[in-house]
Amino acid sequence: CNVDNKVSRVAWLNRTTILFTGNEKWSLDPRVVLLNTAVTEYSIKILNVNLYDEGPYVCSILTNKKP
Protein backbone atom coordinates (compact mmCIF):
# COMPACT_ATOMS: atom_id res chain seq x y z
CA CYS A 1 0.00 0.00 0.00
CA ASN A 2 1.52 3.33 -1.02
CA VAL A 3 0.83 6.31 1.19
CA ASP A 4 1.63 10.01 0.97
CA ASN A 5 1.27 13.07 3.16
CA LYS A 6 -2.48 13.28 2.41
CA VAL A 7 -3.11 9.96 4.18
CA SER A 8 -4.35 10.51 7.73
CA ARG A 9 -4.96 6.84 8.71
CA VAL A 10 -4.07 3.44 7.29
CA ALA A 11 -5.00 -0.16 8.15
CA TRP A 12 -4.54 -3.73 6.88
CA LEU A 13 -7.54 -6.06 6.93
CA ASN A 14 -8.10 -9.71 6.04
CA ARG A 15 -11.72 -10.70 5.44
CA THR A 16 -13.36 -9.16 8.53
CA THR A 17 -10.23 -9.09 10.73
CA ILE A 18 -8.15 -5.97 11.35
CA LEU A 19 -4.47 -6.92 11.22
CA PHE A 20 -2.87 -3.51 11.80
CA THR A 21 -4.03 0.06 12.26
CA GLY A 22 -1.10 2.36 11.76
CA ASN A 23 1.78 0.73 13.65
CA GLU A 24 -0.53 -0.90 16.20
CA LYS A 25 -0.95 -4.65 15.77
CA TRP A 26 -4.50 -5.96 16.26
CA SER A 27 -3.87 -9.52 15.07
CA LEU A 28 -3.03 -12.14 17.68
CA ASP A 29 -1.19 -14.19 15.05
CA PRO A 30 2.57 -13.89 15.74
CA ARG A 31 3.31 -14.71 12.08
CA VAL A 32 1.88 -11.39 10.88
CA VAL A 33 4.37 -8.53 10.96
CA LEU A 34 4.42 -4.97 9.68
CA LEU A 35 7.23 -4.05 7.29
CA ASN A 36 8.70 -0.58 7.40
CA THR A 37 10.44 -0.59 4.05
CA ALA A 38 9.84 3.08 3.24
CA VAL A 39 8.03 6.12 4.59
CA THR A 40 5.58 5.95 1.68
CA GLU A 41 4.91 2.21 1.90
CA TYR A 42 2.71 0.31 4.36
CA SER A 43 3.19 -3.45 3.98
CA ILE A 44 2.61 -6.62 5.96
CA LYS A 45 4.37 -9.96 5.86
CA ILE A 46 3.00 -13.34 6.89
CA LEU A 47 5.60 -15.88 7.93
CA ASN A 48 5.07 -19.60 7.25
CA VAL A 49 2.00 -19.03 5.05
CA ASN A 50 -0.55 -21.84 4.98
CA LEU A 51 -3.93 -22.52 3.31
CA TYR A 52 -5.81 -20.81 6.14
CA ASP A 53 -4.14 -17.52 5.10
CA GLU A 54 -5.81 -17.65 1.68
CA GLY A 55 -8.21 -14.83 0.87
CA PRO A 56 -8.36 -11.12 0.17
CA TYR A 57 -6.12 -8.67 2.02
CA VAL A 58 -7.04 -5.00 1.89
CA CYS A 59 -5.05 -1.90 2.68
CA SER A 60 -7.54 0.75 3.75
CA ILE A 61 -6.53 4.39 3.84
CA LEU A 62 -8.21 7.57 5.00
CA THR A 63 -7.25 10.72 3.15
CA ASN A 64 -8.32 14.13 4.35
CA LYS A 65 -10.77 12.41 6.72
CA LYS A 66 -12.43 10.47 3.83
CA PRO A 67 -12.06 6.71 3.08
Side-chain angles (χ1 to χ4, degrees):
C1 185
N2 293 321
V3 296
D4 60 23
N5 61 354
K6 295 177 185 172
V7 174
S8 52
R9 293 187 187 255
V10 61
W12 268 107
L13 302 96
N14 176 12
R15 298 178 198 99
T16 58
T17 304
I18 298 172
L19 303 173
F20 279 92
T21 58
N23 291 327
E24 186 177 332
K25 184 174 183 177
W26 284 41
S27 172
L28 297 176
D29 190 338
R31 301 173 307 122
V32 180
V33 295
L34 185 64
L35 299 178
N36 292 326
T37 55
V39 175
T40 59
E41 187 174 317
Y42 185 70
S43 301
I44 59 168
K45 181 177 183 177
I46 302 173
L47 306 169
N48 302 316
V49 175
N50 60 48
L51 287 176
Y52 177 76
D53 299 317
E54 182 181 20
Y57 289 80
V58 177
C59 177
S60 176
I61 61 171
L62 193 69
T63 58
N64 298 328
K65 311 281 188 213
K66 298 176 185 174

